[in-house]
Coordinates of all heavy atoms in Angstrom, one line a residue:
M1268 N 52.0 10.0 43.9 CA 53.3 10.6 43.8 C 53.2 12.0 43.3 O 52.4 12.3 42.5 CB 54.2 9.8 42.8 CG 55.6 10.2 42.8 SD 56.6 9.1 41.7 CE 55.9 9.5 40.1
L1269 N 54.0 12.8 43.9 CA 54.0 14.2 43.5 C 54.4 14.4 42.0 O 55.4 13.7 41.6 CB 55.0 15.1 44.4 CG 54.6 15.2 45.8 CD1 55.7 16.0 46.6 CD2 53.3 16.0 46.0
Q1270 N 53.8 15.3 41.4 CA 54.2 15.6 40.0 C 55.5 16.4 39.9 O 56.2 16.3 38.9 CB 53.1 16.4 39.3 CG 51.8 15.6 39.1 CD 50.7 16.4 38.5 OE1 50.9 17.5 38.1 NE2 49.5 15.8 38.5
L1271 N 55.7 17.3 40.9 CA 56.8 18.2 40.8 C 56.8 19.1 39.6 O 57.6 19.0 38.7 CB 58.2 17.4 40.9 CG 58.4 16.5 42.1 CD1 59.6 15.7 42.0 CD2 58.5 17.4 43.4
R1272 N 55.8 19.9 39.6 CA 55.6 20.8 38.4 C 56.7 21.8 38.3 O 57.3 22.2 39.3 CB 54.2 21.5 38.5 CG 53.1 20.5 38.4 CD 51.8 21.2 38.6 NE 50.7 20.3 38.7 CZ 49.4 20.5 39.0 NH1 49.1 21.8 39.4 NH2 48.5 19.6 39.0
P1273 N 57.1 22.2 37.1 CA 58.3 22.9 36.9 C 58.3 24.4 37.1 O 59.3 25.1 36.9 CB 58.7 22.6 35.4 CG 57.3 22.4 34.8 CD 56.4 21.8 35.8
N1274 N 57.1 25.0 37.4 CA 57.1 26.5 37.4 C 56.0 26.9 38.4 O 55.1 26.2 38.8 CB 56.8 27.0 36.1 CG 55.4 26.7 35.6 OD1 55.0 25.6 35.6 ND2 54.7 27.7 35.1
C1275 N 56.0 28.2 38.7 CA 55.0 28.9 39.5 C 53.8 29.2 38.7 O 54.0 29.8 37.6 CB 55.6 30.1 40.2 SG 54.4 31.2 41.0
E1276 N 52.6 28.9 39.1 CA 51.4 29.2 38.3 C 51.2 30.7 38.2 O 50.5 31.2 37.3 CB 50.2 28.6 39.0 CG 50.1 27.1 38.7 CD 48.7 26.5 39.1 OE1 47.7 27.3 39.2 OE2 48.7 25.3 39.4
C1277 N 51.7 31.5 39.2 CA 51.5 32.9 39.2 C 52.5 33.7 38.3 O 52.1 34.5 37.5 CB 51.6 33.5 40.6 SG 50.1 33.2 41.6
C1278 N 53.7 33.5 38.5 CA 54.7 34.3 37.9 C 55.6 33.6 36.9 O 56.5 34.1 36.3 CB 55.6 35.0 39.0 SG 56.6 33.8 39.9
D1279 N 55.3 32.3 36.7 CA 56.0 31.4 35.8 C 57.5 31.3 36.1 O 58.3 30.9 35.2 CB 55.9 32.0 34.4 CG 56.1 30.9 33.3 OD1 55.9 29.7 33.6 OD2 56.5 31.2 32.2
R1280 N 57.9 31.5 37.3 CA 59.3 31.3 37.7 C 59.6 29.8 37.7 O 58.7 29.0 38.0 CB 59.4 31.9 39.2 CG 60.9 32.1 39.6 CD 60.9 32.6 41.0 NE 61.6 31.6 41.8 CZ 61.9 31.7 43.1 NH1 61.4 32.7 43.8 NH2 62.6 30.7 43.7
D1281 N 60.8 29.5 37.3 CA 61.2 28.1 37.3 C 61.3 27.6 38.8 O 61.9 28.2 39.6 CB 62.5 27.9 36.6 CG 62.4 28.0 35.1 OD1 61.3 27.9 34.6 OD2 63.5 28.2 34.5
L1282 N 60.7 26.4 39.0 CA 60.8 25.7 40.3 C 61.3 24.3 40.1 O 60.5 23.4 40.0 CB 59.4 25.7 41.0 CG 58.9 27.1 41.4 CD1 57.4 27.0 41.8 CD2 59.7 27.7 42.5
P1283 N 62.6 24.2 39.9 CA 63.2 22.8 39.7 C 62.9 21.9 40.9 O 62.6 22.4 42.0 CB 64.6 23.1 39.5 CG 64.9 24.4 40.1 CD 63.6 25.2 40.0
P1284 N 63.0 20.6 40.7 CA 62.7 19.6 41.8 C 63.5 19.8 43.0 O 63.0 19.5 44.1 CB 62.9 18.3 41.1 CG 63.3 18.5 39.7 CD 63.3 20.0 39.4
E1285 N 64.7 20.4 42.9 CA 65.5 20.6 44.1 C 65.2 21.9 44.8 O 65.8 22.2 45.8 CB 67.0 20.4 43.7 CG 67.5 21.6 42.9 CD 67.3 21.4 41.4 OE1 66.5 20.5 41.0 OE2 67.9 22.1 40.6
S1286 N 64.3 22.7 44.2 CA 64.0 24.0 44.8 C 63.4 23.9 46.1 O 62.4 23.2 46.3 CB 63.2 24.8 43.8 OG 62.8 26.1 44.5
R1287 N 63.8 24.7 47.1 CA 63.2 24.8 48.4 C 62.2 26.0 48.5 O 61.7 26.3 49.5 CB 64.2 24.9 49.5 CG 64.9 23.5 49.6 CD 66.0 23.5 50.7 NE 66.7 22.2 50.7 CZ 66.3 21.2 51.4 NH1 65.2 21.3 52.2 NH2 66.9 20.0 51.3
D1288 N 62.0 26.7 47.3 CA 61.1 27.8 47.3 C 59.7 27.4 46.7 O 58.9 28.2 46.4 CB 61.6 28.9 46.4 CG 62.7 29.6 47.1 OD1 62.7 29.6 48.4 OD2 63.6 30.2 46.5
A1289 N 59.5 26.1 46.4 CA 58.3 25.7 45.8 C 57.3 25.3 46.9 O 57.6 24.7 47.8 CB 58.5 24.4 44.9
M1290 N 56.0 25.8 46.7 CA 55.0 25.6 47.6 C 53.8 24.9 46.8 O 53.5 25.3 45.7 CB 54.5 26.9 48.2 CG 55.6 27.8 48.8 SD 56.1 27.2 50.4 CE 54.7 27.7 51.5
I1291 N 53.1 23.9 47.5 CA 52.0 23.2 46.8 C 50.8 23.1 47.7 O 51.0 23.2 48.9 CB 52.4 21.8 46.3 CG1 52.9 21.0 47.5 CG2 53.5 21.9 45.3 CD1 53.1 19.5 47.2
C1292 N 49.6 23.0 47.1 CA 48.4 22.6 47.9 C 48.2 21.2 47.7 O 48.9 20.4 47.1 CB 47.2 23.5 47.4 SG 46.5 22.8 45.9
T1293 N 47.1 20.7 48.3 CA 46.8 19.3 48.3 C 46.6 18.7 46.9 O 46.7 17.6 46.6 CB 45.6 19.0 49.2 OG1 45.4 17.6 49.3 CG2 44.3 19.6 48.7
F1294 N 46.2 19.6 46.0 CA 46.0 19.2 44.6 C 47.3 19.5 43.7 O 47.2 19.4 42.5 CB 44.8 20.0 43.9 CG 43.5 19.6 44.6 CD1 42.9 20.6 45.4 CD2 42.9 18.4 44.4 CE1 41.7 20.3 46.0 CE2 41.7 18.1 45.0 CZ 41.1 19.0 45.8
E1295 N 48.3 19.9 44.4 CA 49.6 20.2 43.7 C 49.5 21.4 42.8 O 50.3 21.5 41.9 CB 50.1 19.0 42.9 CG 50.6 17.9 43.8 CD 51.4 16.8 43.1 OE1 52.4 17.1 42.6 OE2 50.8 15.7 43.0
C1296 N 48.6 22.3 43.1 CA 48.8 23.6 42.5 C 50.1 24.1 43.0 O 50.4 24.0 44.2 CB 47.7 24.6 42.9 SG 46.0 23.9 42.7
T1297 N 51.0 24.7 42.2 CA 52.4 24.9 42.5 C 52.7 26.4 42.4 O 52.4 27.0 41.4 CB 53.3 24.1 41.7 OG1 52.9 22.7 41.8 CG2 54.7 24.3 42.0
F1298 N 53.3 27.0 43.4 CA 53.6 28.4 43.4 C 55.0 28.6 44.1 O 55.5 27.7 44.8 CB 52.6 29.2 44.2 CG 51.2 29.0 43.8 CD1 50.4 28.0 44.4 CD2 50.7 29.7 42.7 CE1 49.1 27.8 43.9 CE2 49.4 29.5 42.2 CZ 48.6 28.6 42.8
C1299 N 55.6 29.7 43.8 CA 56.9 30.0 44.4 C 56.6 30.6 45.8 O 55.5 31.2 46.1 CB 57.7 30.9 43.6 SG 57.1 32.6 43.4
A1300 N 57.6 30.6 46.7 CA 57.4 31.1 48.0 C 57.1 32.5 48.1 O 56.3 33.0 48.9 CB 58.7 30.8 48.8
R1301 N 57.6 33.3 47.1 CA 57.4 34.7 47.1 C 55.9 35.1 46.8 O 55.3 35.9 47.4 CB 58.3 35.4 46.1 CG 58.1 36.9 46.0 CD 59.2 37.6 45.3 NE 59.0 39.0 45.4 CZ 59.8 39.9 44.9 NH1 60.9 39.5 44.3 NH2 59.6 41.2 45.0
C1302 N 55.4 34.4 45.8 CA 54.0 34.6 45.4 C 53.1 34.2 46.6 O 52.1 34.8 46.9 CB 53.6 33.8 44.2 SG 54.2 34.6 42.7
V1303 N 53.4 33.1 47.2 CA 52.6 32.6 48.3 C 52.6 33.6 49.5 O 51.5 33.9 50.1 CB 53.1 31.2 48.8 CG1 52.5 30.8 50.2 CG2 52.9 30.1 47.8
E1304 N 53.7 34.2 49.7 CA 53.8 35.1 50.8 C 53.2 36.5 50.5 O 52.4 37.0 51.2 CB 55.3 35.3 51.2 CG 55.5 36.2 52.4 CD 57.0 36.2 52.8 OE1 57.7 35.2 52.6 OE2 57.4 37.3 53.2
E1305 N 53.5 37.0 49.3 CA 53.1 38.4 49.0 C 51.8 38.5 48.3 O 51.1 39.6 48.4 CB 54.2 39.0 48.1 CG 55.6 39.1 48.8 CD 56.6 39.8 47.9 OE1 56.3 40.1 46.7 OE2 57.7 39.9 48.4
R1306 N 51.4 37.5 47.6 CA 50.1 37.6 46.8 C 49.0 36.7 47.3 O 47.9 37.0 47.2 CB 50.4 37.4 45.3 CG 51.5 38.3 44.7 CD 52.0 37.8 43.4 NE 51.0 38.2 42.3 CZ 51.2 37.9 41.0 NH1 52.3 37.3 40.7 NH2 50.4 38.2 40.1
L1307 N 49.4 35.5 47.7 CA 48.4 34.5 48.0 C 48.2 34.4 49.5 O 47.2 33.8 50.0 CB 48.8 33.1 47.4 CG 49.1 33.2 45.9 CD1 49.6 31.8 45.5 CD2 47.9 33.5 45.1
H1308 N 49.1 34.9 50.3 CA 49.0 34.8 51.8 C 48.7 33.4 52.3 O 47.9 33.2 53.2 CB 47.9 35.8 52.3 CG 48.2 37.2 51.7 ND1 49.2 38.0 52.1 CD2 47.5 37.9 50.8 CE1 49.2 39.1 51.4 NE2 48.2 39.1 50.6
G1309 N 49.4 32.5 51.7 CA 49.4 31.1 52.2 C 48.2 30.3 51.8 O 48.0 29.1 52.2
V1310 N 47.3 30.8 50.9 CA 46.1 30.1 50.5 C 46.1 29.9 49.0 O 46.3 30.8 48.2 CB 44.8 31.0 50.9 CG1 43.6 30.2 50.4 CG2 44.8 31.2 52.4
C1311 N 45.8 28.7 48.6 CA 45.8 28.4 47.1 C 44.6 29.1 46.5 O 43.5 29.0 47.0 CB 45.6 26.9 46.9 SG 45.4 26.5 45.2
P1312 N 44.8 29.9 45.4 CA 43.7 30.6 44.8 C 42.8 29.7 44.0 O 41.7 30.2 43.6 CB 44.5 31.6 43.8 CG 45.8 30.9 43.5 CD 46.1 30.1 44.8
N1313 N 43.2 28.5 43.7 CA 42.4 27.6 42.9 C 41.4 26.8 43.8 O 40.3 26.6 43.4 CB 43.3 26.6 42.1 CG 44.2 27.4 41.2 OD1 43.8 28.4 40.6 ND2 45.4 26.8 41.0
C1314 N 41.9 26.4 44.9 CA 41.0 25.5 45.7 C 40.8 26.0 47.2 O 40.2 25.4 48.0 CB 41.6 24.1 45.8 SG 43.1 24.0 46.7
A1315 N 41.4 27.2 47.5 CA 41.3 27.8 48.8 C 42.0 26.9 49.9 O 41.8 27.1 51.1 CB 39.9 28.1 49.2
G1316 N 42.8 26.0 49.4 CA 43.5 25.1 50.4 C 44.8 25.7 50.9 O 45.3 26.7 50.4
E1317 N 45.4 25.0 51.8 CA 46.6 25.3 52.5 C 47.8 25.1 51.5 O 47.8 24.1 50.8 CB 46.8 24.5 53.7 CG 47.9 24.9 54.6 CD 48.0 23.9 55.8 OE1 47.3 22.9 55.9 OE2 48.8 24.2 56.7
L1318 N 48.7 26.0 51.5 CA 50.0 25.8 50.8 C 51.1 25.5 51.7 O 51.4 26.3 52.6 CB 50.3 27.1 49.9 CG 49.3 27.3 48.8 CD1 49.4 28.7 48.3 CD2 49.6 26.3 47.6
V1319 N 51.8 24.5 51.4 CA 53.0 24.1 52.2 C 54.2 23.9 51.3 O 54.1 23.7 50.1 CB 52.7 22.8 53.0 CG1 51.5 23.0 53.9 CG2 52.4 21.6 52.1
R1320 N 55.4 23.8 51.9 CA 56.6 23.7 51.1 C 56.6 22.3 50.4 O 56.3 21.3 51.1 CB 57.8 23.9 51.9 CG 59.1 24.0 51.0 CD 60.3 24.3 51.9 NE 60.8 23.1 52.6 CZ 61.5 22.1 52.0 NH1 61.8 22.1 50.7 NH2 61.9 21.1 52.7
R1321 N 57.0 22.3 49.2 CA 57.1 21.0 48.5 C 58.3 20.3 48.9 O 59.4 20.8 48.8 CB 57.1 21.2 47.0 CG 57.0 20.0 46.1 CD 57.0 20.3 44.7 NE 58.3 20.9 44.2 CZ 58.5 21.4 43.0 NH1 57.5 21.5 42.1 NH2 59.6 21.9 42.7
P1322 N 58.2 19.0 49.3 CA 59.4 18.3 49.7 C 60.3 18.0 48.5 O 59.9 17.8 47.4 CB 58.9 17.0 50.3 CG 57.5 16.8 49.7 CD 57.0 18.2 49.4
V1323 N 61.6 18.1 48.7 CA 62.6 17.9 47.7 C 62.8 16.4 47.5 O 63.0 15.6 48.4 CB 63.9 18.5 48.1 CG1 65.0 18.1 47.1 CG2 63.8 20.0 48.1
R1324 N 62.7 15.9 46.2 CA 62.8 14.5 45.9 C 64.3 14.2 45.8 O 65.0 14.9 45.0 CB 62.1 14.1 44.7 CG 62.2 12.6 44.3 CD 61.2 12.3 43.2 NE 59.8 12.6 43.6 CZ 58.8 12.6 42.7 NH1 59.0 12.3 41.4 NH2 57.6 13.0 43.1
P1325 N 64.9 13.3 46.5 CA 66.3 13.0 46.4 C 66.7 12.6 44.9 O 65.9 12.1 44.2 CB 66.5 11.8 47.3 CG 65.3 11.8 48.2 CD 64.2 12.4 47.4
A1326 N 67.9 12.9 44.6 CA 68.4 12.7 43.2 C 68.2 11.3 42.7 O 67.8 11.1 41.5 CB 69.8 13.2 43.1
A1327 N 68.5 10.4 43.5 CA 68.3 9.0 43.1 C 66.9 8.6 42.8 O 66.6 7.9 41.8 CB 68.9 8.0 44.2
A1328 N 66.0 9.1 43.6 CA 64.6 8.9 43.3 C 64.1 9.6 42.1 O 63.3 9.1 41.3 CB 63.7 9.3 44.5
L1329 N 64.7 10.8 41.9 CA 64.3 11.6 40.8 C 64.7 10.9 39.4 O 64.0 11.1 38.4 CB 65.0 13.0 40.9 CG 64.4 14.1 40.1 CD1 62.9 14.4 40.4 CD2 65.2 15.4 40.4
A1330 N 65.8 10.2 39.5 CA 66.2 9.5 38.3 C 65.2 8.4 37.9 O 64.9 8.2 36.7 CB 67.6 8.9 38.5
R1331 N 64.6 7.8 38.9 CA 63.6 6.8 38.6 C 62.2 7.3 38.3 O 61.4 6.8 37.6 CB 63.5 5.8 39.8 CG 64.5 4.6 39.6 CD 64.5 3.7 40.9 NE 65.1 4.4 42.0 CZ 64.7 4.4 43.2 NH1 63.6 3.7 43.5 NH2 65.3 5.0 44.2
H1332 N 61.9 8.5 39.0 CA 60.6 9.1 38.9 C 60.8 10.5 38.6 O 60.8 11.4 39.5 CB 59.8 8.9 40.3 CG 59.7 7.5 40.7 ND1 58.8 6.6 40.1 CD2 60.4 6.8 41.7 CE1 59.0 5.4 40.7 NE2 59.9 5.5 41.6
P1333 N 61.0 10.9 37.3 CA 61.3 12.2 36.9 C 60.2 13.2 37.2 O 59.0 12.8 37.3 CB 61.5 12.1 35.4 CG 61.7 10.7 35.1 CD 60.9 10.0 36.2
A1334 N 60.5 14.5 37.4 CA 59.6 15.5 37.6 C 58.8 15.8 36.4 O 59.2 15.6 35.2 CB 60.3 16.8 38.0
S1335 N 57.6 16.4 36.6 CA 56.7 16.8 35.4 C 57.4 17.9 34.7 O 58.2 18.7 35.2 CB 55.4 17.3 36.0 OG 54.7 18.0 34.9
T1336 N 57.2 17.9 33.3 CA 57.7 19.0 32.5 C 56.6 19.9 32.0 O 56.8 20.8 31.2 CB 58.6 18.5 31.4 OG1 57.8 17.6 30.6 CG2 59.8 17.8 31.9
T1337 N 55.3 19.6 32.4 CA 54.2 20.4 31.9 C 54.0 21.6 32.7 O 53.7 21.6 33.9 CB 52.9 19.5 32.1 OG1 53.1 18.3 31.4 CG2 51.7 20.2 31.5
R1338 N 54.2 22.8 32.0 CA 54.1 24.1 32.7 C 52.6 24.5 32.8 O 51.9 24.4 31.8 CB 54.9 25.1 31.9 CG 56.4 24.8 31.9 CD 57.1 25.9 31.1 NE 57.4 27.1 32.0 CZ 58.5 27.1 32.8 NH1 59.3 26.2 32.8 NH2 58.6 28.2 33.6
I1339 N 52.2 24.9 34.0 CA 50.9 25.4 34.2 C 51.0 26.8 34.7 O 51.7 27.1 35.6 CB 50.1 24.5 35.2 CG1 50.0 23.1 34.7 CG2 48.8 25.1 35.6 CD1 49.4 22.1 35.7
L1340 N 50.2 27.7 34.0 CA 50.3 29.1 34.3 C 48.9 29.7 34.3 O 48.2 29.6 33.3 CB 51.2 29.8 33.2 CG 51.5 31.3 33.4 CD1 52.2 31.6 34.7 CD2 52.2 31.9 32.2
K1341 N 48.6 30.3 35.4 CA 47.2 30.9 35.6 C 47.4 32.3 36.3 O 46.9 32.5 37.4 CB 46.3 30.1 36.4 CG 46.0 28.7 35.8 CD 44.9 28.1 36.7 CE 45.1 26.6 36.7 NZ 44.4 25.9 37.8
P1342 N 48.1 33.2 35.6 CA 48.4 34.5 36.3 C 47.1 35.2 36.7 O 47.1 35.9 37.7 CB 49.2 35.3 35.3 CG 48.9 34.6 34.0 CD 48.6 33.2 34.3
E1343 N 46.0 35.0 36.0 CA 44.8 35.7 36.3 C 44.2 35.2 37.6 O 43.4 35.9 38.3 CB 43.8 35.6 35.2 CG 43.1 34.3 35.0 CD 44.0 33.2 34.4 OE1 45.1 33.5 34.0 OE2 43.6 32.0 34.4
G1344 N 44.5 34.0 38.0 CA 43.9 33.4 39.2 C 44.6 33.9 40.4 O 44.1 33.7 41.5
C1345 N 45.7 34.6 40.3 CA 46.5 34.9 41.5 C 46.1 36.2 42.1 O 46.5 36.4 43.3 CB 48.0 34.9 41.1 SG 48.6 33.4 40.5
E1346 N 45.3 37.0 41.5 CA 44.9 38.3 42.1 C 43.6 38.2 42.8 O 43.2 39.1 43.4 CB 44.8 39.3 41.0 CG 46.0 39.5 40.1 CD 47.3 39.9 40.9 OE1 47.1 40.5 42.0 OE2 48.4 39.6 40.4
H1347 N 42.9 37.0 42.7 CA 41.6 36.9 43.3 C 41.6 35.6 44.1 O 41.1 34.6 43.7 CB 40.6 36.8 42.2 CG 40.5 38.0 41.3 ND1 40.1 39.2 41.6 CD2 41.0 38.1 40.0 CE1 40.2 40.1 40.6 NE2 40.8 39.4 39.6
V1348 N 42.0 35.8 45.3 CA 42.0 34.7 46.2 C 40.6 34.4 46.7 O 39.9 35.4 47.0 CB 42.9 34.9 47.5 CG1 42.8 33.8 48.5 CG2 44.4 35.1 47.0
A1349 N 40.1 33.2 46.7 CA 38.8 32.9 47.1 C 38.6 33.4 48.6 O 39.4 33.1 49.5 CB 38.5 31.4 47.0
T1350 N 37.5 34.0 48.8 CA 37.2 34.6 50.1 C 36.1 33.9 50.8 O 35.8 34.1 52.0 CB 36.9 36.1 50.1 OG1 35.9 36.3 49.1 CG2 38.1 36.9 49.6
S1351 N 35.3 33.1 50.1 CA 34.2 32.5 50.7 C 34.6 31.3 51.6 O 35.6 30.8 51.5 CB 33.2 32.0 49.6 OG 33.9 31.1 48.8
Ligands
ZN1369 ZN1 55.6 33.0 41.7
ZN1370 ZN1 44.9 24.3 45.0

């Protein structure tokens, strides 16, 4: 199940579970759409994986399976996208 992390790892912007601007990789590294477009160019800086839009969890499901509240922030990782 997706963790639905609450913020962008690059800019610490809030990304609530209903946000359509949240992007994740296969490991659920979570970024906002703006960082993905302007800084990361669609590639996760942590694992070099593909970033896709995080699906929105319906409210009823969210009540049973709440989103994560653990904020993860790695601003230093966002300027150095893996090139290998
Ligand atoms: Zn961001
Ligand atoms: Zn990743």
